[in-house]
């Protein structure tokens, strides 16, 4: 018994990482980000959110603009407010927030004429100050309209009601599909091609770039008699499929900034020290690993035009992304751990 306890202690201690000694600041004369050694280099804070919202943001860079769409998926039970931020030359041109509409997917993208779509909003190019609220058609809305009339436990009494629902759904479907010139399926990383059938949860944008633009639920693209079926082939969808195309990937908002917009050259690490320790615990049922891992302060040389300046980041306090390039300047996505904020800063070219 004693031997097994000693052995268990030895195994656990071998998987434990102790704290690393914290080092003194090697360069106290260098200011911490978002400040630089040259005081003429000034970052402007454009927006901020609670740090918990950082992973709920998606981005798009177009010309002078940085677009940020915030959909609080991971804590929607606490906060179901959508937000969109449109930044131009370091200024917040558009900020809007609204309650989530669960029926519409929460992907955001730009159509071929430059209009921005986010949830049921359409922001009109070129300055996006005008917007339209887009209709959303879903066969389930008709059923919900009559739910209060159903006889619970007595479905035989609802035959006439079901007939009325079927008739209204058929009229809605015909009206919606008759107006379809073009259909866009908003793509994401999980939907890289047009499927062979209307997919559950998918939303389709009809007539993008036109005046009569609207969203349609997947169930309107199916034969009514098979709307609850998992059949692989649906004759109605087969007729519509030639009209459907994917939104271009480069026009869709993404959780990651695309490679071509990341500046990985300007910031060069010239030194680092251990500024703190962070607790971690990883592993599985058989092999555990826990303890502390070191957190660093990084010292940077930053090339701006024809001059080089310095700054430093203490990752126990603040973590900044690589600069995001636009035509007029650079943006930084900043996790301000000390203040519990997610912030975006701008540096003019």
């Amino acid at each position: 018994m004693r031997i097994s306890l000693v052995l268990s202690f030895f195994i656990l201690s071998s998987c434990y990482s102790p704290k690393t000694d914290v080092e003194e600041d090697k360069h106290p004369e260098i200011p911490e980000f978002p400040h630089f050694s040259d005081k003429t280099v000034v970052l402007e804070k454009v927006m901020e959110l609670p740090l918990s919202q950082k992973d709920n943001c998606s981005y798009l860079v177009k010309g002078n603009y940085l677009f940020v769409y915030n959909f609080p998926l991971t804590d929607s039970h606490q906060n179901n407010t959508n937000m969109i931020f449109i930044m131009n030359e370091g200024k917040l041109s558009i900020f809007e927030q609204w309650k989530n509409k669960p029926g519409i997917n929460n992907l955001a993208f730009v159509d071929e004429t430059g209009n921005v779509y986010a949830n049921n909003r359409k922001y009109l190019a070129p300055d996006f100050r005008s917007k339209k609220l887009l209709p959303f058609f879903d066969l389930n809305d008709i059923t919900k309209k009559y739910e209060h009339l159903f006889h619970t436990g007595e479905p035989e009494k609802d035959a006439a009601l079901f007939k009325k629902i079927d008739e209204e759904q058929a009229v809605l479907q015909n009206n919606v599909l008759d107006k379809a010139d073009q259909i866009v399926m908003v793509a994401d990383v999980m939907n890289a091609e047009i499927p062979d059938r209307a997919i559950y949860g998918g939303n389709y944008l009809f007539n993008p770039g036109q005046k009569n633009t609207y969203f349609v639920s997947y169930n309107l693209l199916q034969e009514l008699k098979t709307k609850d079926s998992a059949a692989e082939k649906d004759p109605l969808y087969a007729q519509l499929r030639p009209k459907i195309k994917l939104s271009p990937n480069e026009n869709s908002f993404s959780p990651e900034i695309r490679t071509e917009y990341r500046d990985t050259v300007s910031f060069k690490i010239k030194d680092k020290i251990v500024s703190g320790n962070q607790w971690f615990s990883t592993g599985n049922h058989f092999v555990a690993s826990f303890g502390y891992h070191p957190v660093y302060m990084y010292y940077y040389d930053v090339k701006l035009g024809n001059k080089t300046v310095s700054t430093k980041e203490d990752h126990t306090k603040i973590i900044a992304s690589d600069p995001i390039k636009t035509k007029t300047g650079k943006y930084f996505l900043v996790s301000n751990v000390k203040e519990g904020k997610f912030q975006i800063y701008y540096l003019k070219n």
Side-chain angles (χ1 to χ4, degrees):
M1 180 70 174
R2 183 178 296 175
I3 293 174
S4 66
L5 283 173
V6 172
L7 183 60
S8 298
F9 176 77
F10 175 77
I11 293 171
L12 287 171
S13 62
S14 68
C15 298
Y16 173 77
S17 301
K19 287 184 177 181
T20 306
D21 290 339
V22 174
E23 301 173 88
E24 291 289 331
D25 187 352
K26 288 184 180 179
H27 302 282
E29 76 283 0
I30 297 178
E32 292 188 43
F33 186 92
H35 304 290
F36 296 86
S37 56
D38 185 340
K39 292 185 179 180
T40 64
V41 178
V42 179
L43 289 184
E44 298 288 344
K45 185 167 68 177
V46 188
M47 57 153 281
E48 70 177 18
L49 288 169
L51 187 55
S52 63
Q53 291 301 309
K54 180 178 185 294
D55 293 335
N56 300 329
C57 290
S58 56
Y59 310 91
L60 183 66
V61 179
K62 286 285 184 181
N64 299 339
Y65 287 93
L66 173 64
F67 303 94
V68 180
Y69 178 45
N70 174 246
F71 169 59
L73 180 64
T74 56
D75 58 357
S76 57
H77 63 287
Q78 297 175 344
N79 174 10
N80 65 347
T81 301
N82 292 339
M83 300 183 194
I84 189 165
F85 304 84
I86 301 179
M87 287 159 264
N88 181 23
E89 299 184 13
K91 304 296 181 185
L92 191 57
S93 299
I94 301 292
F95 165 65
E96 189 181 10
Q97 59 183 349
W98 64 94
K99 290 295 182 182
N100 176 35
K101 290 187 174 294
I104 299 179
N105 68 34
N106 289 283
L107 300 170
F109 69 103
V110 176
D111 69 21
E112 293 178 349
T113 57
N115 302 308
V116 174
Y117 297 79
N119 200 267
N120 69 332
R121 263 71 173 159
K122 176 182 179 181
Y123 297 89
L124 305 179
D127 62 10
F128 311 108
R129 293 178 186 176
S130 299
K131 74 170 186 286
K132 291 182 177 180
L133 301 183
L134 301 180
F136 174 64
F137 298 104
D138 184 348
L139 292 180
N140 293 328
D141 289 341
I142 293 176
T143 305
K144 290 175 184 176
K145 187 171 68 171
Y146 293 103
E147 276 182 346
H148 67 288
L149 299 176
F150 287 131
H151 295 82
T152 305
E154 301 177 280
E156 66 279 359
K157 294 184 178 181
D158 294 325
L161 194 56
F162 283 125
K163 182 180 179 182
K164 183 174 181 59
I165 290 171
D166 290 343
E167 290 173 351
E168 287 194 24
Q169 286 181 336
V171 170
L172 175 62
Q173 186 178 56
N174 288 334
N175 288 341
V176 166
L177 298 184
D178 281 349
K179 299 173 184 175
D181 295 326
Q182 185 186 88
I183 306 171
V184 168
M185 178 180 171
V186 185
D188 63 13
V189 292
M190 301 301 293
N191 297 319
E193 58 184 23
I194 299 172
D196 292 328
R197 59 190 177 93
I199 59 172
Y200 174 79
N203 299 147
Y204 299 82
L205 183 71
F206 279 47
N207 308 326
Q210 301 179 30
K211 290 183 178 180
N212 61 330
T213 304
Y214 50 92
F215 277 106
V216 168
S217 175
Y218 81 103
N219 53 31
L220 276 147
L221 277 66
Q222 298 176 311
E223 293 282 354
L224 288 181
K225 62 182 179 180
T226 61
K227 66 178 183 299
D228 296 323
S229 171
E232 289 297 321
K233 293 186 178 180
D234 184 305
L236 177 59
Y237 183 80
Q239 294 174 32
L240 294 170
R241 196 168 184 266
K243 294 184 178 182
I244 300 174
K245 68 175 186 177
L246 292 178
S247 61
N249 188 54
E250 65 272 13
N251 285 351
S252 296
F253 285 52
S254 170
E256 301 291 335
I257 299 295
R258 293 188 175 88
T259 304
E260 63 266 32
Y261 297 113
R262 294 186 207 155
D263 179 359
T264 57
V265 176
S266 296
F267 276 58
K268 292 292 185 182
I269 297 175
K270 65 177 182 179
D271 207 347
K272 69 178 182 179
I273 62 165
V274 176
S275 58
N277 289 274
Q278 190 173 66
W279 176 262
F280 74 96
S281 178
T282 60
N284 54 39
H285 296 296
F286 305 103
V287 180
S289 179
F290 58 94
Y292 293 92
H293 68 85
V295 180
Y296 296 95
M297 177 186 285
Y298 294 91
Y299 302 91
Y300 295 96
D301 279 337
V302 184
K303 186 170 179 57
L304 300 173
N306 58 2
K307 65 180 177 181
T308 300
V309 299
S310 300
T311 189
K312 62 189 178 188
E313 284 178 29
D314 184 347
H315 282 196
T316 66
K317 302 177 184 177
I318 201 164
I319 304 170
S321 70
D322 289 330
I324 300 166
K325 299 179 290 185
T326 67
K327 285 186 176 180
T328 56
K330 299 178 176 68
Y331 291 90
F332 297 82
L333 310 180
V334 177
S335 297
N336 192 325
V337 180
K338 184 178 180 181
E339 296 181 11
K341 300 291 186 181
F342 169 54
Q343 301 166 328
I344 295 184
Y345 283 86
Y346 176 76
L347 178 64
K348 187 176 181 180
N349 284 341

